[in-house]
Amino acid sequence: MASVPSLASTVQQRLAEGLSAALPEAGSADPLLRRSDRADFQANGILALAKQLKGNPRELAAKVVGAIPANDVLGEIEVSGPGFLNITVTDAAIVRTLAARAADDRLGVPFNESAGTTVIDYAQPNVAKEMHVGHLRSAVIGAAMVEILEFTGEKVVRRHHIGDWGTQFGMLIQYLEEHPHELDHKDAEVTGEEAMSNLDRLYKAARRLFDADEEFKTRARRRVVDLQAGDPGTLATWQRFVDESKIYFFSVFEKLDMDIRDEDIVGESGYNDMLNETCRLLEESGVAVRSEGALCVFFDDIKGPDGNPTPLIVQKSDGGFGYAATDLSAIRDRVQNLKASTLLYVVDARQALHFRMVFETARRAGWLNEDVKAVQLAFGTVLGKDGKPFKTREGETVRLVDLLDEAIDRASAVVREKAQDLTEDEIAERGAQVGIGAVKYADLSTSAARDYKFDLDQMVSLNGDTSVYLQYAYARIQSILRKAGDAKPAAHPELALAPSERALGLHLDAFGELVAETAAEYAPHKLASYLYQLASLYTTFYSECPVLKADTAEQVENRLFLCELTARTLHRGMALLGIRTPERL
Ligand code: ARG
């Protein structure tokens, strides 16, 4: 394990050295290095510096260049325009740094030196309810962030804050008590689909009765009280709903090729024991006040349409606890017991106000302090092709499972069409990997905050910014490596590189910085876009540079080396996004 400094950081350092040697009065000015189309890099920092020092930027730039000691990384440095530096690194430096990356399991990606503990709240469906596309987003983005953060050395604790508590359970439990066989299974093994359809049927029947029958309504309300009082029989029936729902959740997560663990499921009910104390602490400290019987927290800047302040209600006037009390208790648990330094919530942007109020309340109560960061990684809405929130023709919420199945079907058709030597089993397996990958990638490749259109045609397209395109790029490289026979990938820094080799190489070299940026900004779309560029640069390289038919044996080896490192980087990057890269497609 050795982290490898990127060429960008080496160049940056050389320039900074040149700067302070040439202009000691400039202190530790930033040369502002960027990747550039004109050369490999461009440094713009001297312009601002010249202004500050009231000097001529071109002269200063020339002075800096003169002060950089001879070295084997920088090829050419040219002063251009009003005082930019255009910098080209040597071919040898590119190949040498890539060889160092290739020698490392982690591709030279450094660990974050200030890593801490992040508790990430994601994949939080609701008991006895169908999962929908919103739950998909939280699961997909959350799972990617788990992998990315862990890869940078962060300790990650996963929490699935499922909706498993609330007044609606009175109605469900009462109904099941009165119709005790409604959740019985025909066979010992029940599938997730069956479990969900039982729950759904029961939910609808209970709702109907609740709306039509006053006496049932009364019994259901009494049941809520029993549930909150911890009556053992009532709790046992409640548990049946939770267990049945988990069968369904796990079947969906499995279809999503996602590793969700039972011990990380700590739903709203998991904080029941803390709720009274949370309220007491808030009231005693004056953070919350009683208002019309309810326990409320007020904010100067949060007002409703009528101009009156909108409070966060921690306890309702009937004594019931809501969503806020649970989330505040969860914060106490995560900070005090789990020792979180960061709380990350992957939750729909439409809950932004809730989290703003919850975080602010926790800060006032001292449960969050300067040492703990709380962030909502808010995501936008999934839209249909018509640009409206995704619904069926009948206006109902689309079942997540139906969407996933359709994605897998479409992907299997694509795989079958391109398959040359795949068996039926392999087509089915690849179809699932490609279909699920397509759904995840579409979700991850636009910035989370934005809405996106769920368009399966586009998602499984072989051209464009799709996971299929990336998966084919990976499989194509594997096929080249298989065909190489005795020729083995090997780095040859003595060879001159073609422009497309340089472009590919410099991009490969930037992987570590990109991962760090993705982790720090909670922005998986940056990784997706990096990988897409990588595949595109590879495609150009491959069309311009023959690999197995290159001129010399050394060149064959060096190009195979570039192929292999590209494949490993694609594989690693896709894995961080939760997407498989089949060896053959
Ligand atoms: N179960 C909620 C929903 O379906 C999401 C829970 C988000 N997490 C939280 N700590 N409030 O919308």
Side-chain angles (χ1 to χ4, degrees):
M1 271 193 318
S3 90
V4 179
S6 68
L7 286 173
S9 66
T10 309
V11 170
Q12 164 97 13
Q13 202 176 338
R14 291 281 141 51
L15 285 183
E17 283 160 17
L19 259 172
S20 53
L23 307 162
E25 65 273 36
S28 53
D30 187 345
L32 295 179
L33 194 72
R34 301 279 170 276
R35 280 281 277 131
S36 148
D37 295 336
R38 299 262 211 82
D40 295 332
F41 299 100
Q42 187 172 71
N44 303 339
I46 294 172
L47 285 177
L49 199 61
K51 214 178 216 173
Q52 197 188 313
L53 300 176
K54 305 202 180 0
N56 174 322
R58 284 191 64 100
E59 275 169 25
L60 283 186
K63 231 172 127 184
V64 172
V65 174
I68 297 173
N71 65 81
D72 56 6
V73 170
L74 297 175
E76 234 178 279
I77 312 184
E78 169 206 69
V79 178
S80 95
F84 303 129
L85 294 182
N86 285 337
I87 300 144
T88 309
V89 294
T90 63
D91 291 351
I94 295 178
V95 177
R96 256 188 278 113
T97 180
L98 294 183
R101 291 192 183 286
D104 179 36
D105 259 0
R106 297 172 47 81
L107 301 166
V109 177
F111 286 105
N112 177 4
E113 278 160 24
S114 52
T117 300
T118 295
V119 175
I120 172 167
D121 184 313
Y122 74 106
Q124 327 97 328
N126 299 316
V127 162
K129 295 220 185 98
E130 197 74 70
M131 287 174 74
H132 56 71
V133 282
H135 298 126
L136 170 78
R137 293 215 72 185
S138 175
V140 169
I141 297 169
M145 280 319 308
V146 169
E147 295 301 322
I148 293 163
L149 289 171
E150 281 182 344
F151 187 53
T152 63
E154 185 79 4
K155 178 173 174 220
V156 178
V157 181
R158 314 165 189 206
R159 280 292 173 266
H160 308 295
H161 197 89
I162 62 170
D164 62 355
W165 203 253
T167 44
Q168 76 276 20
F169 283 96
M171 168 187 102
L172 292 171
I173 294 168
Q174 189 59 29
Y175 190 87
L176 188 57
E177 291 284 341
E178 295 176 18
H179 306 79
H181 296 298
E182 290 294 300
L183 284 185
D184 288 356
H185 303 151
K186 278 189 269 69
D187 307 308
E189 282 285 299
V190 63
T191 66
E193 294 254 356
E194 270 174 75
M196 190 60 238
S197 89
N198 285 341
L199 286 166
D200 194 47
R201 194 167 14 79
L202 197 154
Y203 197 101
K204 288 187 175 130
R207 180 87 267 161
R208 239 180 283 121
L209 195 57
F210 187 86
D211 290 338
D213 183 339
E214 278 304 317
E215 284 173 18
F216 177 73
K217 203 181 253 180
T218 309
R219 295 200 292 282
R221 291 208 169 122
R222 219 178 296 132
R223 204 41 99 170
V224 178
V225 179
D226 293 344
L227 180 66
Q228 279 167 353
D231 168 58
T234 303
L235 275 179
T237 308
W238 166 80
Q239 189 66 48
R240 289 187 62 193
F241 284 98
V242 176
D243 292 344
E244 193 77 2
S245 297
K246 280 192 188 173
I247 296 176
Y248 163 71
F249 297 156
F250 281 121
S251 76
V252 178
F253 291 134
E254 191 177 308
K255 189 166 283 199
L256 278 169
D257 191 13
M258 218 174 249
D259 180 26
I260 302 285
R261 302 180 300 220
D262 199 27
E263 69 263 30
D264 299 329
I265 300 184
V266 182
E268 294 176 26
S269 70
Y271 305 94
N272 282 347
D273 290 349
M274 300 176 74
L275 302 176
N276 275 312
E277 197 182 23
T278 297
C279 290
R280 184 174 59 74
L281 293 170
L282 288 174
E283 198 169 0
E284 279 175 8
S285 60
V287 172
V289 291
R290 289 281 162 191
S291 167
E292 291 167 40
L295 187 63
C296 301
V297 182
F298 289 94
F299 309 87
D300 288 342
D301 55 340
I302 303 179
K303 295 199 171 71
D306 55 1
N308 291 325
T310 310
L312 181 72
I313 300 180
V314 189
Q315 189 177 24
K316 290 180 277 184
S317 53
D318 67 3
F321 300 106
Y323 199 43
T326 317
D327 266 324
L328 287 165
S329 303
I331 289 181
R332 292 174 54 213
D333 178 53
R334 292 168 188 186
V335 175
Q336 289 158 16
N337 302 326
L338 300 176
K339 309 279 179 242
S341 46
T342 302
L343 303 176
L344 184 61
Y345 294 81
V346 189
V347 183
D348 195 311
R350 286 168 290 194
Q351 295 190 30
L353 183 60
H354 167 77
F355 283 106
R356 233 179 91 198
M357 296 199 286
V358 164
F359 295 164
E360 174 61 26
T361 301
R363 294 223 172 265
R364 291 183 192 170
W367 301 328
L368 286 177
N369 56 33
E370 310 83 74
D371 301 332
V372 190
K373 183 164 89 172
V375 187
Q376 183 191 3
L377 200 183
F379 52 79
T381 306
V382 182
L383 307 172
K385 272 196 198 173
D386 56 1
K388 302 214 180 85
F390 204 42
K391 291 274 150 66
T392 63
R393 244 174 245 126
E394 294 74 36
E396 283 182 35
T397 312
V398 182
R399 297 187 336 137
L400 179 54
V401 186
D402 293 340
L403 279 183
L404 298 181
D405 285 340
E406 197 181 336
I408 293 172
D409 283 351
R410 300 265 190 117
S412 301
V414 173
V415 172
R416 180 183 305 278
E417 203 182 292
K418 294 212 59 166
Q420 286 155 2
D421 47 2
L422 296 184
T423 65
E424 277 305 306
D425 281 352
E426 287 172 326
I427 292 177
E429 188 196 75
R430 308 291 199 283
Q433 293 175 341
V434 171
I436 294 301
V439 170
K440 289 182 179 174
Y441 189 85
D443 201 303
L444 293 168
S445 57
T446 40
S447 125
R450 290 177 51 188
D451 300 345
Y452 77 94
K453 282 189 190 167
F454 197 96
D455 178 352
L456 280 173
D457 293 324
Q458 188 275 327
M459 285 181 198
V460 299
S461 153
L462 291 166
N463 300 307
D465 189 5
T466 62
S467 61
V468 199
Y469 174 70
L470 297 175
Q471 286 168 323
Y472 270 106
Y474 178 81
R476 222 175 302 123
I477 300 177
Q478 294 306 319
S479 135
I480 295 167
L481 293 172
R482 281 193 299 272
K483 281 191 202 126
D486 286 341
K488 293 280 169 272
H492 286 283
E494 74 281 7
L495 294 177
L497 298 178
S500 61
E501 289 178 299
R502 295 179 56 85
L504 176 63
L506 285 168
H507 194 66
L508 284 167
D509 187 48
F511 184 58
E513 274 145 18
L514 186 283
V515 170
E517 187 178 325
T518 300
E521 296 177 17
Y522 307 125
H525 72 280
K526 295 206 165 171
L527 175 54
S529 132
Y530 171 90
L531 294 172
Y532 176 57
Q533 280 177 52
L534 178 58
S536 308
L537 289 168
Y538 177 80
T539 306
T540 310
F541 153 76
Y542 187 67
S543 69
E544 289 177 4
C545 302
V547 176
L548 297 179
K549 295 207 171 79
D551 291 340
T552 64
E554 287 75 24
Q555 202 160 50
V556 171
E557 289 178 352
N558 200 50
R559 287 184 178 164
L560 282 172
F561 164 76
L562 286 174
C563 288
E564 188 177 53
L565 189 61
T566 302
R568 283 177 58 196
T569 307
L570 277 173
H571 174 81
R572 173 66 83 167
M574 292 288 266
L576 292 178
L577 296 178
I579 302 174
R580 302 263 177 186
T581 36
E583 298 296 300
R584 283 170 206 266
L585 261 184

